[in-house]
Amino acid sequence: MAFQVSPGVNVTEKDLTNIIPAVSTTSGGIVLTAEKGPIDEITTVSSEQELVDVFGKPNANNFEEFFTAANFLGYGNNLKVVRPITGLVNAVSTGTAVLIKNTADYLNTYYSATGAGQVTNIGTWAAREAGTLGNNIKVSLCPNSTAFGPHSQSGTLTNDASAAIGDTTVTMDDGSLFQVGDILEFGDASAVPSTDGAPSGFFYKITAINTHVLTIARFNPQTGQTETGGLRHAIVDNAKVLRHWEYYFNFASAPTTTDDVSNAGGSNDEMHIAVIDEDGGITGTAGTILETFEGVSQANDAKDASGNSNYYPQVIYQKSKYIYWIDHISTLSDGVAKTGTTFDNTVGDAFVVSSTSLASGTDDYTITNAEVATAYEKFNDKENVDLSLLLCGPSQTSADATGDTKATAVMDIATARKDCVAFISPARADVVGVANAITQTQNVVGFADGLPSTSYAVIDSGYKYMYDRYNDVYRFVPLNGDIAGACARTDSIADAWFSPGGFNRGQIRGAVKLAYNPNQTQRDELYKSRVNPVTSFPGQGTVLFGDKTAQSKPSAFDRINVRRLFIVLEKAISTAAKFQLFEFNDEFTRAQFRNLVEPFLRDVQGRRGLTDFSVVCDDSNNTGDVIDRNEFRADIFVKPARSINFIQLNFVATRSGVAFSEVTGS
């Protein structure tokens, strides 16, 4: 308290109620090649449905990785996913396709808020997701009321020869005034359909143009789909024609001038944009409207009624799920402010809208060792990435002299972080389609022997056979997602220091059968090589039947529950210890630390994680030399609880007249 000259009462508070914080133990991580989703960044998903929504459905190229992730999410609800950089590129409207990894990459590389895009050789639009999925997308931009329709050409659009009911082609004097996708209505020689009492409500979509010959199909505006059959009524020579934009029926009115630009003295800034699943590869139905953007502005400072940007590149960036804007259409105003501006609202001929199909997107599910390492490096930063369970997914190769590169990389990350555990399955070729269990055992043992020794990893025995509901097939997938999931489930029903193995917590879900179902002799061989067997027992299900870490040296840390106990203790206590930084290293601070840690350890002991503990933090380990080096030391001794791996039952038969105390010695 500051010195005071005159008498008075001062009130102060000191908070001694600090506690050890709870730490997450159920957060998983995996690298996943996928048909869509952000690239080279961590994305958190909480369910299998969210996994599908963000990264797409499994296919023949990535089902092992996908179901490793999905199986984990069957037990837990926190999975961090990284889609790796491979040979992927985004579909684009024209020009050379490029890779846009994620929104940050788009903003940094391809978008300029005040003018044309920084990369101008790839057209106006790019698919939001890298890969072939974007090749299904079509973008249609309507810049004015004439293009929107309904529009009757000044002069006549004539049918050179009368067309009869059922005809699927009509011939025009000038076929260049139309484009594929336009919606037409036909009147007669004197009347304009829909406006002058001529046959109306009969709509036709142009499906092809051959010079002046238009191929048409009946169009249903309620469904947005074409239907079978030709003309519903005869068309005479010199018939009047109304033309509509292909997506006319999806918008309330024609584009004109936005209120914001009008108030600023400008005009003709408004546009409509439709995004379409042209081929049906996204929704399953060709021609489905994916999203629409009505009344967006060419003015770079335009605002909507809520005060948000209405500038069309910004709106697309903020709201679209399917496309990015890349560069302005050359004939449109290039990022001009709204005040007093009359915007160019034509794209070529006034009739013509800007409709373009995206193309050149490519998939790449082949991932190199370098790409694996780069992707998993996203999990290296323990300060900013909370992670407890690191999934390897499918291993890359069978064991050789150098071991499996991918599995080793994942194990190395966990070992370096020292706050998570890596989960590894043997290579597919080690267990799937192998002739007999003896060879499978040898393969799995060989695989494990090629991996490093660490208590921060868990190796399982193989693959399970499960149903792929997305493709209606059964597939073999690696078990490490399930084993990590069993740890997450253990955390939710007990604590991290309980073993995830056995019939109580080690049940494996969704397993039709195992690729490799080791017997007792084979399980003995696996256990000696640090491999945890997964076994199907008749009538009892499929069970993780071990709880070893990948540590070769016998110690308490060769058990999963002990390793995860220490991870919990170390994460929680080290987080709390940060609040001792920059305090004085005196008895008050040391007592405060002990009073913080000991109740936490007592609680863990009460929850069966420890049998005993001791916290030493006094002048015996905080000597003068330690204090002078600005250090603070605490020694925390714990006796971890041990899981039961072996049960010995002794049954003794005795004579009728013998007291049990005689044979037990008690």
PDB file of all heavy atoms in Angstrom, residues 146-173:
ATOM      1  N   THR A 146     -32.454  -5.513 -69.751  1.00  0.00           N
ATOM      2  CA  THR A 146     -32.623  -6.097 -71.079  1.00  0.00           C
ATOM      3  C   THR A 146     -32.190  -7.550 -71.089  1.00  0.00           C
ATOM      4  O   THR A 146     -32.882  -8.426 -71.616  1.00  0.00           O
ATOM      5  CB  THR A 146     -31.827  -5.304 -72.119  1.00  0.00           C
ATOM      6  OG1 THR A 146     -32.272  -3.957 -72.138  1.00  0.00           O
ATOM      7  CG2 THR A 146     -32.002  -5.901 -73.509  1.00  0.00           C
ATOM      8  N   ALA A 147     -31.029  -7.806 -70.510  1.00  0.00           N
ATOM      9  CA  ALA A 147     -30.549  -9.177 -70.443  1.00  0.00           C
ATOM     10  C   ALA A 147     -31.445 -10.035 -69.565  1.00  0.00           C
ATOM     11  O   ALA A 147     -31.613 -11.228 -69.808  1.00  0.00           O
ATOM     12  CB  ALA A 147     -29.118  -9.198 -69.921  1.00  0.00           C
ATOM     13  N   PHE A 148     -32.024  -9.428 -68.523  1.00  0.00           N
ATOM     14  CA  PHE A 148     -32.868 -10.168 -67.603  1.00  0.00           C
ATOM     15  C   PHE A 148     -34.155 -10.620 -68.279  1.00  0.00           C
ATOM     16  O   PHE A 148     -34.568 -11.763 -68.147  1.00  0.00           O
ATOM     17  CB  PHE A 148     -33.178  -9.275 -66.392  1.00  0.00           C
ATOM     18  CG  PHE A 148     -33.951  -9.951 -65.301  1.00  0.00           C
ATOM     19  CD1 PHE A 148     -33.340 -10.823 -64.426  1.00  0.00           C
ATOM     20  CD2 PHE A 148     -35.308  -9.688 -65.135  1.00  0.00           C
ATOM     21  CE1 PHE A 148     -34.050 -11.445 -63.410  1.00  0.00           C
ATOM     22  CE2 PHE A 148     -36.021 -10.299 -64.121  1.00  0.00           C
ATOM     23  CZ  PHE A 148     -35.390 -11.184 -63.253  1.00  0.00           C
ATOM     24  N   GLY A 149     -34.820  -9.702 -68.981  1.00  0.00           N
ATOM     25  CA  GLY A 149     -36.061 -10.022 -69.647  1.00  0.00           C
ATOM     26  C   GLY A 149     -37.267  -9.746 -68.752  1.00  0.00           C
ATOM     27  O   GLY A 149     -37.127  -9.303 -67.615  1.00  0.00           O
ATOM     28  N   PRO A 150     -38.484 -10.014 -69.268  1.00  0.00           N
ATOM     29  CA  PRO A 150     -38.736 -10.470 -70.646  1.00  0.00           C
ATOM     30  C   PRO A 150     -38.452  -9.357 -71.637  1.00  0.00           C
ATOM     31  O   PRO A 150     -38.795  -8.199 -71.376  1.00  0.00           O
ATOM     32  CB  PRO A 150     -40.209 -10.863 -70.640  1.00  0.00           C
ATOM     33  CG  PRO A 150     -40.804 -10.041 -69.538  1.00  0.00           C
ATOM     34  CD  PRO A 150     -39.737  -9.887 -68.500  1.00  0.00           C
ATOM     35  N   HIS A 151     -37.848  -9.703 -72.758  1.00  0.00           N
ATOM     36  CA  HIS A 151     -37.446  -8.690 -73.712  1.00  0.00           C
ATOM     37  C   HIS A 151     -37.873  -9.093 -75.107  1.00  0.00           C
ATOM     38  O   HIS A 151     -37.628 -10.215 -75.558  1.00  0.00           O
ATOM     39  CB  HIS A 151     -35.929  -8.495 -73.683  1.00  0.00           C
ATOM     40  CG  HIS A 151     -35.443  -7.483 -74.669  1.00  0.00           C
ATOM     41  ND1 HIS A 151     -35.594  -6.132 -74.485  1.00  0.00           N
ATOM     42  CD2 HIS A 151     -34.815  -7.639 -75.851  1.00  0.00           C
ATOM     43  CE1 HIS A 151     -35.069  -5.477 -75.518  1.00  0.00           C
ATOM     44  NE2 HIS A 151     -34.603  -6.375 -76.363  1.00  0.00           N
ATOM     45  N   SER A 152     -38.519  -8.168 -75.784  1.00  0.00           N
ATOM     46  CA  SER A 152     -38.888  -8.345 -77.184  1.00  0.00           C
ATOM     47  C   SER A 152     -37.976  -7.479 -78.030  1.00  0.00           C
ATOM     48  O   SER A 152     -37.892  -6.271 -77.825  1.00  0.00           O
ATOM     49  CB  SER A 152     -40.345  -7.977 -77.413  1.00  0.00           C
ATOM     50  OG  SER A 152     -40.684  -8.149 -78.775  1.00  0.00           O
ATOM     51  N   GLN A 153     -37.278  -8.097 -78.959  1.00  0.00           N
ATOM     52  CA  GLN A 153     -36.346  -7.361 -79.800  1.00  0.00           C
ATOM     53  C   GLN A 153     -37.076  -6.318 -80.629  1.00  0.00           C
ATOM     54  O   GLN A 153     -38.150  -6.568 -81.152  1.00  0.00           O
ATOM     55  CB  GLN A 153     -35.599  -8.336 -80.738  1.00  0.00           C
ATOM     56  CG  GLN A 153     -34.581  -7.679 -81.642  1.00  0.00           C
ATOM     57  CD  GLN A 153     -33.299  -7.329 -80.930  1.00  0.00           C
ATOM     58  OE1 GLN A 153     -33.214  -7.473 -79.709  1.00  0.00           O
ATOM     59  NE2 GLN A 153     -32.310  -6.862 -81.647  1.00  0.00           N
ATOM     60  N   SER A 154     -36.515  -5.112 -80.732  1.00  0.00           N
ATOM     61  CA  SER A 154     -37.084  -4.114 -81.632  1.00  0.00           C
ATOM     62  C   SER A 154     -36.964  -4.625 -83.049  1.00  0.00           C
ATOM     63  O   SER A 154     -35.948  -5.077 -83.467  1.00  0.00           O
ATOM     64  CB  SER A 154     -36.354  -2.783 -81.467  1.00  0.00           C
ATOM     65  OG  SER A 154     -34.973  -2.929 -81.732  1.00  0.00           O
ATOM     66  N   GLY A 155     -37.937  -4.552 -83.830  1.00  0.00           N
ATOM     67  CA  GLY A 155     -37.989  -5.244 -85.102  1.00  0.00           C
ATOM     68  C   GLY A 155     -38.587  -6.606 -84.862  1.00  0.00           C
ATOM     69  O   GLY A 155     -39.309  -6.830 -83.890  1.00  0.00           O
ATOM     70  N   THR A 156     -38.300  -7.538 -85.654  1.00  0.00           N
ATOM     71  CA  THR A 156     -38.919  -8.849 -85.527  1.00  0.00           C
ATOM     72  C   THR A 156     -37.867  -9.932 -85.409  1.00  0.00           C
ATOM     73  O   THR A 156     -36.839  -9.907 -86.070  1.00  0.00           O
ATOM     74  CB  THR A 156     -39.831  -9.158 -86.719  1.00  0.00           C
ATOM     75  OG1 THR A 156     -39.100  -9.073 -87.925  1.00  0.00           O
ATOM     76  CG2 THR A 156     -41.007  -8.215 -86.750  1.00  0.00           C
ATOM     77  N   LEU A 157     -38.146 -10.895 -84.570  1.00  0.00           N
ATOM     78  CA  LEU A 157     -37.434 -12.154 -84.535  1.00  0.00           C
ATOM     79  C   LEU A 157     -38.340 -13.142 -85.221  1.00  0.00           C
ATOM     80  O   LEU A 157     -39.427 -13.441 -84.744  1.00  0.00           O
ATOM     81  CB  LEU A 157     -37.136 -12.577 -83.105  1.00  0.00           C
ATOM     82  CG  LEU A 157     -36.252 -11.644 -82.280  1.00  0.00           C
ATOM     83  CD1 LEU A 157     -36.105 -12.163 -80.871  1.00  0.00           C
ATOM     84  CD2 LEU A 157     -34.907 -11.503 -82.932  1.00  0.00           C
ATOM     85  N   THR A 158     -37.966 -13.626 -86.367  1.00  0.00           N
ATOM     86  CA  THR A 158     -38.880 -14.391 -87.192  1.00  0.00           C
ATOM     87  C   THR A 158     -38.532 -15.858 -87.216  1.00  0.00           C
ATOM     88  O   THR A 158     -37.385 -16.269 -87.081  1.00  0.00           O
ATOM     89  CB  THR A 158     -38.910 -13.865 -88.637  1.00  0.00           C
ATOM     90  OG1 THR A 158     -37.605 -13.975 -89.201  1.00  0.00           O
ATOM     91  CG2 THR A 158     -39.354 -12.424 -88.676  1.00  0.00           C
ATOM     92  N   ASN A 159     -39.554 -16.656 -87.440  1.00  0.00           N
ATOM     93  CA  ASN A 159     -39.432 -18.069 -87.695  1.00  0.00           C
ATOM     94  C   ASN A 159     -39.588 -18.268 -89.193  1.00  0.00           C
ATOM     95  O   ASN A 159     -40.669 -18.052 -89.754  1.00  0.00           O
ATOM     96  CB  ASN A 159     -40.505 -18.825 -86.907  1.00  0.00           C
ATOM     97  CG  ASN A 159     -40.363 -20.310 -86.989  1.00  0.00           C
ATOM     98  OD1 ASN A 159     -39.357 -20.850 -86.591  1.00  0.00           O
ATOM     99  ND2 ASN A 159     -41.376 -20.967 -87.509  1.00  0.00           N
ATOM    100  N   ASP A 160     -38.509 -18.609 -89.871  1.00  0.00           N
ATOM    101  CA  ASP A 160     -38.515 -18.624 -91.331  1.00  0.00           C
ATOM    102  C   ASP A 160     -39.535 -19.581 -91.919  1.00  0.00           C
ATOM    103  O   ASP A 160     -40.022 -19.384 -93.009  1.00  0.00           O
ATOM    104  CB  ASP A 160     -37.126 -18.968 -91.866  1.00  0.00           C
ATOM    105  CG  ASP A 160     -36.142 -17.820 -91.615  1.00  0.00           C
ATOM    106  OD1 ASP A 160     -36.609 -16.678 -91.466  1.00  0.00           O
ATOM    107  OD2 ASP A 160     -34.936 -18.077 -91.553  1.00  0.00           O
ATOM    108  N   ALA A 161     -39.827 -20.609 -91.210  1.00  0.00           N
ATOM    109  CA  ALA A 161     -40.870 -21.535 -91.652  1.00  0.00           C
ATOM    110  C   ALA A 161     -41.717 -21.883 -90.455  1.00  0.00           C
ATOM    111  O   ALA A 161     -41.196 -22.108 -89.368  1.00  0.00           O
ATOM    112  CB  ALA A 161     -40.265 -22.787 -92.273  1.00  0.00           C
ATOM    113  N   SER A 162     -43.004 -21.912 -90.621  1.00  0.00           N
ATOM    114  CA  SER A 162     -43.887 -22.171 -89.498  1.00  0.00           C
ATOM    115  C   SER A 162     -43.509 -23.465 -88.792  1.00  0.00           C
ATOM    116  O   SER A 162     -43.158 -24.463 -89.436  1.00  0.00           O
ATOM    117  CB  SER A 162     -45.340 -22.230 -89.977  1.00  0.00           C
ATOM    118  OG  SER A 162     -45.730 -20.988 -90.522  1.00  0.00           O
ATOM    119  N   ALA A 163     -43.592 -23.428 -87.447  1.00  0.00           N
ATOM    120  CA  ALA A 163     -43.253 -24.589 -86.635  1.00  0.00           C
ATOM    121  C   ALA A 163     -44.516 -25.186 -86.054  1.00  0.00           C
ATOM    122  O   ALA A 163     -45.403 -24.477 -85.572  1.00  0.00           O
ATOM    123  CB  ALA A 163     -42.298 -24.195 -85.524  1.00  0.00           C
ATOM    124  N   ALA A 164     -44.621 -26.514 -86.077  1.00  0.00           N
ATOM    125  CA  ALA A 164     -45.818 -27.202 -85.631  1.00  0.00           C
ATOM    126  C   ALA A 164     -45.668 -27.668 -84.186  1.00  0.00           C
ATOM    127  O   ALA A 164     -44.569 -27.708 -83.623  1.00  0.00           O
ATOM    128  CB  ALA A 164     -46.093 -28.399 -86.537  1.00  0.00           C
ATOM    129  N   ILE A 165     -46.825 -28.019 -83.617  1.00  0.00           N
ATOM    130  CA  ILE A 165     -46.834 -28.588 -82.278  1.00  0.00           C
ATOM    131  C   ILE A 165     -45.909 -29.811 -82.256  1.00  0.00           C
ATOM    132  O   ILE A 165     -45.958 -30.665 -83.138  1.00  0.00           O
ATOM    133  CB  ILE A 165     -48.265 -28.961 -81.859  1.00  0.00           C
ATOM    134  CG1 ILE A 165     -49.126 -27.700 -81.726  1.00  0.00           C
ATOM    135  CG2 ILE A 165     -48.249 -29.746 -80.541  1.00  0.00           C
ATOM    136  CD1 ILE A 165     -50.590 -27.989 -81.459  1.00  0.00           C
ATOM    137  N   GLY A 166     -45.057 -29.890 -81.231  1.00  0.00           N
ATOM    138  CA  GLY A 166     -44.130 -31.009 -81.087  1.00  0.00           C
ATOM    139  C   GLY A 166     -42.752 -30.776 -81.654  1.00  0.00           C
ATOM    140  O   GLY A 166     -41.823 -31.534 -81.353  1.00  0.00           O
ATOM    141  N   ASP A 167     -42.592 -29.732 -82.503  1.00  0.00           N
ATOM    142  CA  ASP A 167     -41.275 -29.455 -83.070  1.00  0.00           C
ATOM    143  C   ASP A 167     -40.294 -29.085 -81.954  1.00  0.00           C
ATOM    144  O   ASP A 167     -40.635 -28.413 -80.992  1.00  0.00           O
ATOM    145  CB  ASP A 167     -41.344 -28.317 -84.081  1.00  0.00           C
ATOM    146  CG  ASP A 167     -41.938 -28.750 -85.412  1.00  0.00           C
ATOM    147  OD1 ASP A 167     -42.259 -29.947 -85.550  1.00  0.00           O
ATOM    148  OD2 ASP A 167     -42.092 -27.884 -86.305  1.00  0.00           O
ATOM    149  N   THR A 168     -39.035 -29.501 -82.096  1.00  0.00           N
ATOM    150  CA  THR A 168     -37.998 -29.208 -81.106  1.00  0.00           C
ATOM    151  C   THR A 168     -36.954 -28.228 -81.623  1.00  0.00           C
ATOM    152  O   THR A 168     -35.967 -27.958 -80.943  1.00  0.00           O
ATOM    153  CB  THR A 168     -37.297 -30.492 -80.641  1.00  0.00           C
ATOM    154  OG1 THR A 168     -36.747 -31.167 -81.786  1.00  0.00           O
ATOM    155  CG2 THR A 168     -38.271 -31.418 -79.930  1.00  0.00           C
ATOM    156  N   THR A 169     -37.167 -27.679 -82.839  1.00  0.00           N
ATOM    157  CA  THR A 169     -36.283 -26.650 -83.372  1.00  0.00           C
ATOM    158  C   THR A 169     -37.107 -25.523 -83.966  1.00  0.00           C
ATOM    159  O   THR A 169     -38.205 -25.737 -84.486  1.00  0.00           O
ATOM    160  CB  THR A 169     -35.330 -27.195 -84.448  1.00  0.00           C
ATOM    161  OG1 THR A 169     -36.083 -27.719 -85.546  1.00  0.00           O
ATOM    162  CG2 THR A 169     -34.423 -28.287 -83.874  1.00  0.00           C
ATOM    163  N   VAL A 170     -36.578 -24.312 -83.876  1.00  0.00           N
ATOM    164  CA  VAL A 170     -37.145 -23.151 -84.548  1.00  0.00           C
ATOM    165  C   VAL A 170     -35.992 -22.404 -85.195  1.00  0.00           C
ATOM    166  O   VAL A 170     -34.869 -22.389 -84.678  1.00  0.00           O
ATOM    167  CB  VAL A 170     -37.915 -22.224 -83.581  1.00  0.00           C
ATOM    168  CG1 VAL A 170     -39.179 -22.880 -83.083  1.00  0.00           C
ATOM    169  CG2 VAL A 170     -37.047 -21.818 -82.417  1.00  0.00           C
ATOM    170  N   THR A 171     -36.282 -21.763 -86.331  1.00  0.00           N
ATOM    171  CA  THR A 171     -35.263 -21.060 -87.083  1.00  0.00           C
ATOM    172  C   THR A 171     -35.496 -19.567 -86.999  1.00  0.00           C
ATOM    173  O   THR A 171     -36.599 -19.086 -87.273  1.00  0.00           O
ATOM    174  CB  THR A 171     -35.243 -21.500 -88.552  1.00  0.00           C
ATOM    175  OG1 THR A 171     -35.076 -22.909 -88.621  1.00  0.00           O
ATOM    176  CG2 THR A 171     -34.118 -20.822 -89.314  1.00  0.00           C
ATOM    177  N   MET A 172     -34.456 -18.802 -86.623  1.00  0.00           N
ATOM    178  CA  MET A 172     -34.543 -17.374 -86.437  1.00  0.00           C
ATOM    179  C   MET A 172     -33.748 -16.645 -87.497  1.00  0.00           C
ATOM    180  O   MET A 172     -32.793 -17.180 -88.060  1.00  0.00           O
ATOM    181  CB  MET A 172     -34.008 -16.985 -85.055  1.00  0.00           C
ATOM    182  CG  MET A 172     -34.791 -17.580 -83.898  1.00  0.00           C
ATOM    183  SD  MET A 172     -36.467 -16.919 -83.871  1.00  0.00           S
ATOM    184  CE  MET A 172     -37.239 -17.963 -82.661  1.00  0.00           C
ATOM    185  N   ASP A 173     -34.155 -15.412 -87.781  1.00  0.00           N
ATOM    186  CA  ASP A 173     -33.395 -14.597 -88.718  1.00  0.00           C
ATOM    187  C   ASP A 173     -31.995 -14.308 -88.198  1.00  0.00           C
ATOM    188  O   ASP A 173     -31.035 -14.250 -88.964  1.00  0.00           O
ATOM    189  CB  ASP A 173     -34.119 -13.272 -88.989  1.00  0.00           C
ATOM    190  CG  ASP A 173     -35.262 -13.434 -89.968  1.00  0.00           C
ATOM    191  OD1 ASP A 173     -35.343 -14.491 -90.629  1.00  0.00           O
ATOM    192  OD2 ASP A 173     -36.085 -12.514 -90.053  1.00  0.00           O
TER     193      ASP A 173
END
